[in-house]
Amino acid sequence: MRFHGLLAGAALGVGLLAAAPALDAAELKLGYSLAPTSHYGVGATAMDEKLRELSGGEWSIKQFPANALGGEREMVEGAQLGTVDLVITSTGPVGNFVPEVLITDIPFLFRDYEHAHAVLDGEIGQEILGQFPNHGLVALAWGENGFRNLTNNKVAVKTPEDAEGLKIRTMENQVHMAAFRELGVLPTPMAFPELFTALQQGTVDGQENPIGVILSAKFAQVQKYLSLTNHVYSPALIIISPSVWDGLSDEEKGWFNEAAKAGAKAMREKAEADARDGVAELEKQGMTVVSNVDRAAFEEALAPVFAEFAKKFGQDRIDAIRAVGN
Ligand code: EAX
């Protein structure tokens, strides 16, 4: 009898194992700061689709858009702690966790999208991703936020002099803050979830973000002037919590890497489409667009802070980034 019972138990065990993928199907929590229709939402959806396809439905992603899991700094912290599984974030606060990322936040470093992609997907970018585990995080891929543009309520900014004295919200990022300080702007670091209200109430005069973000966050409702400064390329990252990553098999890690690549590709396509088509839309929404910005003057005005960055990050490393694709 005992013998039979054991056999029956073994048979049951096999049955359970065969059904394991369905029983164990895991849904991961992914947070980001924008609406589901944004480049982050499009990227998250593409990643989810690819992950389901590769894992036969074993793994999937539940999205928490619009800061539902907190601001970007809080979400990255959550990934470190294991309370957030996945995050799509700008590099804004990431350099506070992984200092090696900060070099990518230097203004006027990337010439265009092609250059940025070549650097980030190439040796230099992959080396930076490789540093994340030393800081309690895992980054799967570089996504994209886009080239940032200045908006404000006071003046049509064309030159650095026009921007002097403006109170501008910056990300919680020491490289961005140093650059804006150099321009004579009053940089006010602030988490993104607080920004709309701060613009509405006049706590700050302006902010800067890629066209896709300005559209998604509906900043046209609270900002008058849009200057096409394209002063800094803003990368995004797809981060996974080590608490999830460390439990994955090599095969599963492969699925996540491939899914993140699909997400990053879709994110870039959407961010670039927004940058192309979104300016006309923002104009329609009532913004005054300044397209003849003197970008060379902005770059020149930053010369002293570029010298500081060279000391901090190494002129050779900055040159290596600039040299990619030349
Ligand atoms: O990631 O904080 C920012 O300005 C970011 O660009 C925005 O949250 C999108």
Side-chain angles (χ1 to χ4, degrees):
M1 277 303 276
R2 230 191 112 115
F3 184 62
H4 275 122
L6 275 175
L7 270 184
L12 187 65
V14 169
L16 280 176
L17 271 183
L23 283 176
D24 285 357
E27 194 180 60
L28 296 177
K29 284 200 282 186
L30 182 152
Y32 54 90
S33 63
L34 304 172
T37 49
S38 68
H39 47 295
Y40 289 168
V42 168
T45 300
M47 180 173 173
D48 178 34
E49 278 168 10
K50 194 67 180 177
L51 189 60
R52 284 175 201 256
E53 177 199 317
L54 291 170
S55 69
E58 196 179 324
W59 289 99
S60 63
I61 291 171
K62 185 169 165 60
Q63 298 182 35
F64 292 81
N67 309 299
L69 302 181
E72 292 187 332
R73 183 171 47 76
E74 288 160 309
M75 288 191 282
V76 175
E77 247 162 34
Q80 241 180 5
L81 294 169
T83 54
V84 175
D85 300 322
L86 288 156
V87 186
I88 296 179
T89 177
S90 73
T91 51
V94 178
N96 299 325
F97 298 86
V98 184
E100 291 86 350
V101 168
L102 280 173
I103 193 170
T104 67
D105 295 313
I106 297 177
F108 297 100
L109 178 65
F110 296 106
R111 293 183 293 278
D112 48 31
Y113 294 111
E114 228 178 12
H115 179 216
H117 300 170
V119 171
L120 299 174
D121 299 341
E123 212 178 301
I124 297 172
Q126 298 311 298
E127 221 179 274
I128 298 173
L129 295 189
Q131 298 298 322
F132 277 67
N134 299 334
H135 305 282
L137 288 164
V138 174
L140 297 174
W142 291 100
E144 184 160 271
N145 197 18
F147 282 91
R148 303 178 78 90
N149 296 287
L150 182 70
T151 71
N152 84 96
N153 267 332
K154 288 250 160 98
V155 55
V157 173
K158 213 171 103 181
T159 65
E161 289 74 35
D162 296 333
E164 254 172 55
L166 288 176
K167 197 166 176 194
I168 301 293
R169 175 269 179 177
T170 69
M171 296 197 287
E172 298 161 287
N173 180 295
Q174 49 180 281
V175 170
H176 284 203
M177 286 174 67
F180 277 105
R181 208 173 290 121
E182 190 65 52
L183 291 174
V185 159
L186 303 172
T188 308
M190 185 186 288
F192 189 74
E194 295 162 36
L195 181 52
F196 187 93
T197 308
L199 292 169
Q200 194 170 39
Q201 298 183 343
T203 316
V204 291
D205 301 319
Q207 63 87 45
E208 42 82 56
N209 252 302
I211 298 298
V213 177
I214 299 171
L215 275 171
S216 177
K218 304 194 184 332
F219 287 155
Q221 292 178 8
V222 287
Q223 290 282 268
K224 180 153 178 47
Y225 299 104
L226 165 62
S227 296
L228 302 180
T229 47
N230 289 296
H231 53 274
V232 66
Y233 176 78
S234 182
L237 286 155
I238 303 178
I239 290 174
I240 187 165
S241 172
S243 69
V244 176
W245 184 253
D246 293 344
L248 299 177
S249 67
D250 285 349
E251 187 187 30
E252 288 171 315
K253 285 180 178 169
W255 296 339
F256 276 80
N257 278 324
E258 204 175 323
K261 280 207 184 89
K265 184 167 180 280
M267 202 186 310
R268 284 174 176 176
E269 281 166 7
K270 173 66 174 150
E272 286 157 43
D274 281 348
R276 229 177 12 247
D277 311 330
V279 177
E281 176 56 30
L282 290 169
E283 205 160 21
K284 233 197 276 166
Q285 294 176 11
M287 294 193 90
T288 300
V289 177
V290 183
S291 44
N292 58 342
V293 171
D294 191 347
R295 293 184 72 242
F298 274 95
E299 194 170 353
E300 263 165 48
L302 290 173
V305 85
F306 285 145
E308 265 174 51
F309 294 152
K311 248 190 264 158
K312 186 174 161 75
F313 300 116
Q315 187 64 51
D316 52 334
R317 300 191 64 224
I318 293 170
D319 289 345
I321 290 176
R322 291 196 192 278
V324 170
N326 274 341

